[in-house]
Amino acid sequence: MTTDPVVLAYSGGLDTSVAIGWIKERTGRDVIAVAVDVGQGGEDLEVIRRRALACGAVDAVVADARDEFATEYCMRALQANARYQGVYPLVSALSRPVITKHLVQVARDAGAHTVAHGCTGKGNDQVRFEVSITSQAPDMTCLSPVRDLALTRDVAIDYAEKHELPIETTKHNPFSIDQNVWGRAVETGYLEDIWNAPTKDVYTYTDDPTYPPLPDEVTIRFEAGIPVAVDGVELSPLGVIEELNRRAGAQGIGRIDLVEDRLVGIKSREIYECPGAVTLLEAHAELERVTLEREQARFKRQVDTRWSEIIYDGQWYSPLKASLDAFIDDTQRHVNGEIRMILHGGRAVVTGRRSDTGLYDFSLATYDSGDTFDQSSARGFIDIYGLPVKLAAAREARLAQADAS
Ligand code: ARG
């Protein structure tokens, strides 16, 4: 019989607090709780750590992964212009790989071979957790107390009350929320009726864009596709995201209401707020328009779409992801320069761009005198470019005439 401990991804909420005792009861194994800070804000992680111990964990670990998450995960998503189904900036999907990295690390240090998480059996996150864990550590197995040990919400409430766990069971929040520095995801409750409009209480990262403050002009400087300064002030990736969350959030930028295709086949509705992420994604995409060669940009759009899909589907640690990253890295070499934007009333609108490594050539583009584009070569180019379609059209005309006669 296995007696090594189970390493649990611990959020400090009701379900994972009860899971500590529940796993011990059902499997006879001790639990080590791990809380990973990905910039979710809210409760102090030291309070959460002590709660895990109070709920019966043999050990509780807190990992500050905020800079790591911003630099190695959010920035990769930015360089890939990552938006699942063209819309969702992958908030939750991005955090799972970094959380599992820390879980696997703690498990290795403790000689543990089982990692547990609080996800349900219907969502994407169970897939992301488990595929990420076994693709980093093929020798480990995964346990989902909610799915595998029948830890339903009602059971959790009863258990917490009976064992007097130091956790609120009565506070009624109709929503399921997941948040980190890249954004916030809200689902369930009345939002499950997709005709229902979201109410004000759904949002915390953004203010109502209907009543915005005065327009806010911002200039973001990029080096190799990574934002390095805001309004001339150099910042870390985490610093840039936080600064833009604040400023774009005040303008109500980055609110998204999406019915999406889950990996498990269900369509579900989620409300997202990603003020910093959406602002950065708009700016980065614009700088790519200025700096990428046309065919490279066309091909990259396909790579970006595929990248977003596999990250949504939990394939962060896959060979395909590594190969796509190599392509994306190569494309970012010349993505340097500045993007100026106006943040106002729910939108981040680009008003200016400049780049020393751009491909925009004023003297080629201008309609004023002094342009360097040789218009006389355009005629020959068009003749040959249009030739195949012209031949096909001539054939249609010939056949139509033959049919008529
Ligand atoms: N639908 C999003 C995804 O699969 C978010 C999942 C977590 N959402 C939540 N409200 N708990 O990436």
Side-chain angles (χ1 to χ4, degrees):
M1 190 181 129
T2 350
T3 50
D4 61 320
V6 173
V7 171
L8 170 71
Y10 184 63
S11 70
L14 173 68
D15 299 298
T16 52
S17 294
V18 170
I20 295 171
W22 193 254
I23 290 172
K24 175 84 184 167
E25 241 181 63
R26 291 300 184 95
T27 69
R29 293 160 72 183
D30 288 332
V31 173
I32 299 174
V34 182
V36 183
D37 189 353
V38 283
Q40 59 268 52
E43 268 186 305
D44 185 337
L45 285 193
E46 182 49 30
V47 173
I48 290 181
R49 200 184 72 80
R50 274 189 255 123
R51 181 177 309 140
L53 295 173
C55 289
V58 288
D59 195 4
V61 181
V62 164
D64 179 357
R66 285 173 305 161
D67 274 302
E68 180 187 7
F69 178 56
T71 305
E72 292 166 38
Y73 298 77
C74 303
M75 291 301 109
R76 280 231 161 270
L78 179 62
Q79 291 180 311
N81 300 307
R83 295 198 223 205
Y84 180 65
Q85 295 186 314
V87 184
Y88 162 46
L90 296 176
V91 176
S92 305
L94 282 180
S95 72
R96 305 317 176 198
V98 70
I99 294 171
T100 55
K101 186 179 152 197
H102 287 273
L103 294 173
V104 166
Q105 191 58 53
V106 171
R108 289 246 186 271
D109 294 347
H113 294 89
T114 309
V115 177
H117 60 75
C119 308
T120 72
K122 286 177 81 169
N124 297 313
D125 284 324
Q126 55 173 340
V127 184
R128 297 173 184 147
F129 266 107
E130 296 180 26
V131 171
S132 291
I133 287 160
T134 53
S135 46
Q136 292 171 85
D139 55 314
M140 292 190 189
T141 51
C142 301
L143 176 66
S144 159
V146 178
R147 185 192 64 204
D148 307 331
L149 303 176
L151 181 59
T152 61
R153 190 128 261 248
D154 292 343
V155 169
I157 292 171
D158 286 350
Y159 185 100
E161 282 169 359
K162 185 162 151 242
H163 293 81
E164 294 177 354
L165 297 185
I167 174 96
E168 189 97 60
T169 55
T170 45
K171 200 180 97 211
H172 184 66
N173 187 338
F175 303 125
S176 160
I177 299 165
D178 183 49
Q179 61 189 47
N180 59 54
V181 75
W182 201 235
R184 185 165 176 271
V186 185
E187 66 176 352
T188 70
Y190 74 89
L191 295 169
E192 286 173 353
D193 179 339
I194 62 176
W195 181 248
N196 284 342
T199 46
K200 287 187 188 346
D201 57 330
V202 169
Y203 302 106
T204 64
Y205 280 23
T206 54
D207 292 332
D208 190 343
T210 323
Y211 309 102
L214 291 175
D216 182 8
E217 187 178 82
V218 65
T219 301
I220 305 169
R221 181 154 62 83
F222 288 85
E223 274 168 27
I226 303 287
V228 294
V230 175
D231 291 334
V233 179
E234 294 196 3
L235 293 169
S236 65
L238 179 65
V240 171
I241 302 168
E242 286 174 341
E243 168 76 357
L244 293 173
N245 272 343
R246 189 177 61 73
R247 288 168 64 176
Q251 296 285 348
I253 292 164
R255 290 187 172 187
I256 297 164
D257 180 345
L258 175 68
V259 175
E260 72 196 44
D261 286 305
R262 280 190 195 162
L263 178 56
V264 294
I266 301 169
K267 279 194 193 290
S268 66
R269 193 259 194 114
E270 189 106 40
I271 306 293
Y272 299 102
E273 306 179 85
C274 315
V278 163
T279 304
L280 285 166
L281 285 161
E282 295 286 338
H284 177 265
E286 182 64 16
L287 192 56
E288 282 198 342
R289 284 181 204 112
V290 176
T291 53
L292 295 195
E293 183 274 330
R294 183 185 66 189
E295 296 307 316
Q296 192 185 30
R298 285 182 174 169
F299 193 77
K300 185 169 184 289
R301 283 195 275 279
Q302 298 174 40
V303 172
D304 289 349
T305 302
R306 200 71 196 97
W307 194 95
S308 307
E309 289 167 351
I310 65 170
I311 299 313
Y312 186 89
D313 292 347
Q315 299 277 334
W316 183 274
Y317 294 103
S318 68
L320 178 57
K321 151 76 166 46
S323 303
L324 298 184
D325 277 347
F327 171 83
I328 293 170
D329 275 345
D330 187 63
T331 64
Q332 299 300 291
R333 281 191 303 142
H334 301 303
V335 185
N336 307 314
E338 288 186 315
I339 296 293
R340 191 183 59 229
M341 306 172 107
I342 298 283
L343 312 178
H344 192 236
R347 295 187 61 205
V349 178
V350 174
T351 59
R353 48 309 254 162
R354 62 181 170 202
S355 170
D356 293 336
T357 49
L359 295 172
Y360 179 83
D361 184 336
F362 180 86
S363 58
L364 279 174
T366 185
Y367 283 99
D368 292 349
S369 58
D371 80 302
T372 57
F373 185 82
D374 180 2
Q375 297 195 28
S376 67
S377 10
R379 174 181 283 277
F381 166 73
I382 296 164
D383 284 345
I384 292 173
Y385 174 73
L387 188 57
V389 187
K390 185 173 157 186
L391 287 172
R395 176 181 60 192
E396 292 304 333
R398 227 173 32 244
L399 293 177
Q401 212 170 32
D403 275 353
S405 59

